[in-house]
Amino acid sequence: TRPIIVDQSNIELIGAANHGTVIRPAADWVSIILAGGAQATGVITFSGVSNFAARNFIVESLTLPMNGIIAIPSGNLATGTISDHGLFDNNIVKMAQAHTYSIWSLLSTDMIVSNNVIDGGATNENAHFSQEGIEIFGGSNVLISNNNVSNMGNAAINIVTISDTVNNSDVNNVTICNNVIDFSRIAISFNTSY
């Protein structure tokens, strides 16, 4: 009924082998506001931490509009301590058609997003134009590799900054390689100003 929250550094969450750990939010799931003011909108939320990881999970929310696995700063509206040195690897993420991010990094640095399978469930009839597969919103030194992203209502991979609304949200040194993208409205989007 609540997000899984990591707000301490040096913590890795590792699911059972062969994707034996499945996380499905309850029907009455709600995000919560953390002590620093950040809103935990991910099924798994890392907030203002260093040296962290989420591996080997199935995260599945096919009816509720929420994010999957996210790394965000500790404060309200993208303020506070940013998350850094993170790894999201070998997860399967399936999300509802809504304004959601399957994997989201907000201002984080030194991130690796690799070997994930992401399915947004979009069809020609139900595609939501704000659904993203992997979104890097600001940050630097990010590697996005060997992911399989399909059925996204909008971008499979979205690299974005909206400097008018989020200060210090420059994007620097992002490498995108060896990903497979299928049936998404946009494969890779670079929205570096808005």
Side-chain angles (χ1 to χ4, degrees), residues 120-142:
T123 66
N124 287 331
E125 293 75 28
N126 74 349
H128 192 285
F129 289 107
S130 296
Q131 183 195 43
E132 316 292 356
I134 298 168
E135 179 169 285
I136 306 302
F137 190 128
S140 60
N141 303 325
V142 179

Side-chain angles (χ1 to χ4, degrees), residues 35-56:
Q39 187 170 11
T41 61
V43 175
I44 299 174
T45 297
F46 293 89
S47 178
V49 295
S50 296
N51 303 314
F52 61 95
R55 299 180 186 171
N56 303 342

